[in-house]
Amino acid sequence: MTALVDRQKILAAAGSDKELAYKLRTYSGRVRFDLPEGAFDLVVEDGVPARAEEVHADLAADVIFSAPAEFWSTAFSAAVPPAGYESCVVGMTRGLRIVGDFGGTVAPWQSGWARLYQVVRETVAGAPVRKPFQDPFRETDNAVGRYVYVSANGQEARIYYETSGHGPIPLLLQATAGADGRQYRHLLADPRMQERFTMYAYDLPYHGKSLPPIGVRWWEETYRPGRDGLINWVVAIADTLGLDNPYFMGCSVGGQLALDLAAERGDRFGAFISLNGWYGNPPLFDGFSNDMFRTPSIADSYAPALNFGATAPQAPEPNAHETYWIYRSAFPGIYAGDNDYFAYEHDLKENGHKIDAHAKPVYVVTGEYDPASDDDVNGGPAVEKFIPGAKFVKVAGLGHFAPCDDPIGFGDAIVPILDEVIAKAASAGQS
């Protein structure tokens, strides 16, 4: 690996990268890469790496990238990285560490450190070829937005939702933690989906265009919806819209909800499609605390920057950045509250026995670049293993935010899967 790491080539690439300069703007300092063949420093001046230097004992680095030798050899092995090495965020689950003053340096410029990791990795190994941006559904991009008053958990909220399609099956679409229905804008416009479903992409209270519930003094309390609270809102939305036996499809926190709805409210829905959902609690990287996403001294941009790192390496660049934009426009602390449920409160070891996947289809669909894909103990494969009748599908090339960061690839993958779900639901209804 020594011959592959050309420090001057890295400096040239990093020093000319406009995205890096923008994301590291106003930062000046010393960044160290602690590689097996020898560490080196990049000296950054107002966001732009200006010099590559040998490490000197009397010159401390503000930020240090460190990892086991195996991590670097794998990360530098190919332009298309193996899952788990495509970004510094997922790399933290494989031993990568970004060490420094967390509140003062690491968190505020997390987007910059993420970009710097990409520049270094791609300078050494080559860059994966991203799919071109496509917008083929302009003529059918006809979703209609509406508001409806919904009551749940002893509260009332003015809920925003967008609907499209004329198919016979109602389909509720739940976004990822802290996000909203904008993540499904391409799916709502897909004529294949419009023929099969009447779709409803809603914003939960506190999300997107749905404000906090009426009368709640939200400025005095921490947002903590809890599993049952989220379930109750989803059921109440379906009831208020008058949906008969709707299918439910959600991603990430929505994927967890799909599985918990199958366990707790299997009677209310016709099928459950969990995108990147887990059987048990997802394993988290060392030192993780969900409270960091609701702590005022930690930059609000930190959580969106981490989520950007979970987009797929081949996803179209504009779509990947749109995923970040949606997260960046959310109110602080909402992602943290949803993530409490995603990371700690969902666990089918406790209620998975309630799921009847023979009566109602239960599918877990994960992307190749989602950690749930290969976790046989807690991830998607475990749902199929431990829930009789449930089915697990792994889709090559997709990541955690597939409906948003690779909507065309996601649509091409999910339509035939949903056709299988429709057929299975019809068969179950006839038996």
Side-chain angles (χ1 to χ4, degrees), residues 27-394:
Y27 170 78
S28 295
R30 185 174 292 270
V31 183
R32 183 164 299 162
F33 280 84
D34 191 4
L35 303 179
E37 74 275 16
F40 71 94
D41 289 350
L42 287 177
V43 179
V44 180
E45 298 177 353
D46 193 19
V48 179
R51 300 188 302 279
E53 297 182 350
E54 295 290 336
V55 173
H56 296 284
D58 57 342
L59 295 176
D62 299 312
V63 174
I64 301 173
F65 286 75
S66 66
E70 179 277 333
F71 176 88
W72 295 115
S73 62
T74 305
F76 292 160
S77 64
V80 179
Y85 300 86
E86 65 271 22
S87 73
C88 69
V89 174
V90 293
M92 286 191 283
T93 67
R94 305 292 179 121
L96 177 65
R97 295 291 177 267
I98 303 176
V99 181
D101 179 356
F102 183 77
T105 305
V106 175
W109 284 284
Q110 175 64 31
S111 289
W113 311 134
R115 179 59 186 170
L116 182 57
Y117 171 82
Q118 284 184 301
V119 170
V120 171
R121 198 202 70 80
E122 292 174 6
T123 301
V124 176
V129 178
R130 286 188 176 272
K131 298 177 183 178
F133 174 77
Q134 299 181 65
D135 193 13
F137 306 137
R138 296 175 67 90
E139 297 302 316
T140 53
D141 190 4
N142 52 19
V144 175
R146 295 190 175 95
Y147 286 94
V148 64
Y149 286 87
V150 179
S151 295
N153 303 309
Q155 302 169 341
E156 184 182 52
R158 183 171 177 258
I159 296 293
Y160 177 77
Y161 69 97
E162 293 182 351
T163 183
S164 75
H166 51 272
I169 303 171
L171 174 64
L172 283 169
L173 298 169
Q174 167 66 50
T176 62
D180 55 74
R182 286 177 293 176
Q183 291 184 326
Y184 288 104
R185 69 181 185 92
H186 291 276
L187 200 69
L188 291 172
D190 190 330
R192 297 169 297 179
M193 293 293 294
Q194 292 175 345
E195 292 170 4
R196 291 162 171 79
F197 302 99
T198 300
M199 294 172 281
Y200 301 85
Y202 57 85
D203 297 349
L204 286 171
Y206 302 89
H207 298 70
K209 291 187 176 181
S210 294
L211 296 173
I214 300 164
V216 173
R217 296 179 67 83
W218 53 267
W219 55 92
E220 297 179 348
E221 59 189 42
T222 300
Y223 169 74
R224 296 182 187 273
R227 185 194 71 178
D228 292 343
L230 291 170
I231 287 175
N232 291 340
W233 279 117
V234 172
V235 172
I237 290 170
D239 290 345
T240 303
L241 295 176
L243 305 183
D244 181 25
N245 215 33
Y247 288 13
F248 180 91
M249 183 165 71
C251 185
S252 186
V253 74
Q256 312 289 55
L257 266 173
L259 296 168
D260 279 323
L261 284 167
E264 304 298 337
R265 292 306 307 269
D267 60 313
R268 184 62 185 85
F269 299 87
F272 306 89
I273 302 93
S274 169
L275 307 175
N276 299 313
W278 293 74
Y279 178 78
N281 296 139
L284 304 170
F285 58 83
D286 291 343
F288 177 86
S289 169
N290 201 46
D291 285 334
M292 71 177 73
F293 303 125
R294 56 171 66 94
T295 301
S297 61
I298 296 175
D300 293 337
S301 60
Y302 183 62
L306 293 184
N307 288 323
F308 180 76
T311 57
Q314 297 105 325
E317 193 172 29
N319 294 113
H321 284 278
E322 181 176 302
T323 303
Y324 172 80
W325 177 277
I326 291 172
Y327 265 101
R328 194 68 180 88
S329 60
F331 190 83
I334 304 306
Y335 170 75
D338 289 346
N339 209 40
D340 283 337
Y341 161 66
F342 173 83
Y344 304 116
E345 299 173 24
H346 164 82
D347 190 350
L348 293 188
K349 291 190 291 293
E350 297 179 356
N351 63 349
H353 63 281
K354 300 179 182 179
I355 297 176
D356 186 351
H358 295 294
K360 304 285 183 73
V362 175
Y363 276 59
V364 179
V365 183
T366 67
E368 172 189 3
Y369 286 94
D370 189 273
S373 285
D374 296 317
D375 191 317
D376 294 329
V377 176
N378 292 298
V383 177
E384 183 177 79
K385 179 179 179 180
F386 297 117
I387 305 298
K391 183 168 181 178
F392 167 69
V393 182
K394 180 177 178 178

